[in-house]
Amino acid sequence: MNSFIYDIPTKVYFGEGQLGNLGKELRRFGRRVLLTYGGGSIKRIGLYDRVMEELRSADLEVFELSGIEPNPRIDSVREGVKMCKEHNIDVLLAVGGGSTIDATKFMAAGACVEHDAWEFFGANAKPIERALPIVTILTLAATGSEMDSGGVISNLATGDKLGRLAPAMQPKVSFLDPTLTYSVSRYQTACGAADIMSHIIEVYFNMNKDLYMLDCMMEGLLKTVVKFAPIAANEPENYEARANLMWCSSWAINGFINGGKRKAWSCHPMEHELSAKYDITHGLGLAILTPRWMRYCLDETNVERYVSFGVGVFGIDPSKAPMTIAEEAIERLEHLFFVELGLQRTFAEVGIKREDYELMAAKACRYGDIRGFKTLTPDDVVRIFEMCE
Ligand code: NZQ
Ligand code: ZN
């Protein structure tokens, strides 16, 4: 069992009616705020006006950067860095989903250095030692960016989508109000659920001897998503469903379930290449890949992990043969993603072409073979892509 450090320094305001604390929390860091958001959903749901009212009543000076795209671009980050420097920003307030929060993290880090923000990424990445403080208001349950120290940025010029972790970018405060996700579409709700589940599955599928308690936690989080994602998709204003998904999104990736595991993730590096090349939604790519990857990795030596998963998450009868349980568990996951949540099932349906497999596989393995649950070479990645056709 691994030793580990547990340190999650994000203060969370969870539930409806917490935004009244926003001004007070921002004032802890200064007066000059850079408000960042995406393509306008926060205006459509009336959140923008509520936030501005809070900021005004706390006598904060507000600068705005809007238009952060899904799969956020380095150009938006650069624009934010420039604004932070020009206006001597004290604190950044990200209002939106993972894309807005991720981009804001690198604006906050970029504001503290002289070099270009893209130099934070890649094999010779520059260190991220400091960042301006970040506060978030989450509007989509998916990535967990509201409570982790990572982010993923796309560069259209190089065709890359690269991630980076740095404790300095961990949000200081996050507001998690489930009612702000009532307006999230059925499609984005489904993609978010697939993303949350993938963050847990990437950790759960591991042959290390881990704390039993963490296995139970992961199964509990997964069961919660299995139960509430279809409810949220069908009844968008079901508070209980939205609240459960929102809190699962944070706990799936805030470091707690890791318990010191150092195994690489598998589906995420593959998916980031799909998003980089085709600009598809991250959670959709994961939904297509994850069951296929599970099937590709399954063998007699690791089947017990699938059995725990099938019994613990889907309640499959443990007296069945292990291989039967494993296959049934994968089918139940596919049923959730593709039938109950209605996500597309194949690369063909989302327009991903055979001719790009080799290049995407090579890029997924840019730092070497993927040393996750099972080591994957570029050839393995191509085989998994073929299973998604
Ligand atoms: O841009 P707006 O108008 O706000 O619309 C967004 C966007 O079109 C919309 N949306 C968000 N909240 C809404 C809403 N629509 C209606 N009502 C609301 N309340 O949803 C669309 C998708 O938003 P986005 O922020 O892109 O989604 P998500 O939260 O899934 O973020 C995805 C990004 O996060 C990265 C992904 O790779 C992707 O780039 N990830 C970040 C991680 C992290 N920081 O730890 C981990 C993840 O594995 C992931 O890689
Ligand atoms: Zn993810």
Side-chain angles (χ1 to χ4, degrees), residues 8 40 51 79-80 90 113 139 171 195 200 205-206 220 271 277 385:
I8 306 178
V51 168
E79 211 180 321
D90 297 313
V113 294
T139 65
D195 193 20
I200 304 162
F205 279 83
N206 187 306
E271 195 296 312
K277 179 75 190 164
F385 287 167

Side-chain angles (χ1 to χ4, degrees), residues 52-364:
M52 289 308 273
E53 203 180 303
E54 292 298 332
L55 301 184
R56 262 193 302 271
S57 62
D59 193 27
L60 292 156
E61 194 175 348
V62 187
F63 301 84
E64 267 184 55
L65 175 64
S66 63
I68 296 170
E69 351 24 42
N71 296 323
R73 319 282 194 247
I74 190 65
D75 303 313
S76 299
V77 174
R78 287 179 179 134
E79 211 180 321
V81 169
K82 196 161 155 258
M83 288 184 77
C84 288
K85 289 180 177 174
E86 260 174 32
H87 302 295
N88 205 10
I89 293 296
D90 297 313
V91 53
L92 291 87
L93 172 61
V95 185
S99 295
T100 293
I101 300 175
D102 281 8
T104 306
K105 287 176 175 173
F106 292 100
M107 293 173 198
C112 300
V113 294
E114 292 307 315
H115 62 75
D116 179 57
W118 189 243
E119 293 181 41
F120 287 138
F121 298 92
N124 301 311
K126 294 247 166 62
I128 299 181
E129 278 151 6
R130 288 189 308 127
L132 297 177
I134 300 159
V135 174
T136 83
I137 301 174
L138 184 66
T139 65
L140 199 169
T143 66
S145 189
E146 67 278 5
M147 210 176 169
D148 78 8
S149 63
V152 192
I153 300 295
S154 296
N155 184 332
L156 296 186
T158 63
D160 290 314
K161 179 174 180 182
L162 298 178
R164 180 74 196 269
L165 289 165
M169 300 193 301
Q170 179 95 21
K172 300 278 185 241
V173 186
S174 284
F175 288 83
L176 274 58
D177 176 347
T179 66
L180 299 179
T181 64
Y182 284 173
S183 53
V184 175
S185 65
R186 182 184 171 84
Y187 168 72
Q188 286 292 347
T189 300
C191 291
D195 193 20
I196 297 168
M197 291 188 76
S198 174
H199 295 159
I200 304 162
I201 288 171
E202 297 266 33
V203 179
Y204 187 91
F205 279 83
N206 187 306
M207 297 304 284
N208 289 358
K209 180 109 187 79
D210 292 316
L211 284 168
Y212 173 74
M213 168 259 201
L214 290 179
D215 270 1
C216 295
M217 287 288 301
M218 287 189 269
E219 287 162 17
L221 290 168
L222 287 165
K223 268 167 76 167
T224 307
V225 181
V226 170
K227 177 179 164 104
F228 286 108
I231 298 176
N234 295 326
E235 300 167 35
E237 303 203 2
N238 184 312
Y239 186 87
E240 191 188 9
R242 293 296 192 183
N244 273 283
L245 289 180
M246 195 169 232
W247 205 210
C248 280
S249 93
S250 304
W251 281 87
I253 199 173
N254 69 8
F256 178 71
I257 62 169
N258 277 45
K261 285 192 206 103
R262 282 175 203 92
K263 279 278 179 197
W265 286 13
S266 303
C267 293
H268 273 68
M270 292 191 276
E271 195 296 312
H272 286 161
E273 297 312 322
L274 307 183
S275 295
K277 179 75 190 164
Y278 291 95
D279 202 18
I280 65 166
T281 306
H282 173 62
L284 173 62
L286 290 171
I288 298 174
L289 284 166
T290 302
R292 277 59 180 246
W293 164 76
M294 287 173 69
R295 203 168 269 126
Y296 187 81
C297 294
L298 173 63
D299 63 34
E300 295 290 344
T301 66
N302 60 28
V303 66
E304 282 310 320
R305 237 347 23 202
Y306 292 74
V307 170
S308 308
F309 175 79
V311 173
V313 178
F314 289 109
I316 298 171
D317 176 359
S319 67
K320 291 184 179 175
M323 276 296 173
T324 308
I325 297 177
E327 185 48 42
E328 206 174 314
I330 297 169
E331 283 166 11
R332 294 283 292 272
L333 192 63
E334 288 174 327
H335 189 269
L336 174 72
F337 290 159
F338 308 132
V339 180
E340 290 182 73
L341 296 175
L343 289 170
Q344 292 123 307
R345 189 188 280 266
T346 63
F347 279 5
E349 286 169 82
V350 295
I352 295 173
K353 298 200 182 71
R354 177 69 187 79
E355 67 206 40
D356 293 318
Y357 290 3
E358 271 77 17
L359 181 61
M360 293 193 298
K363 284 184 149 191

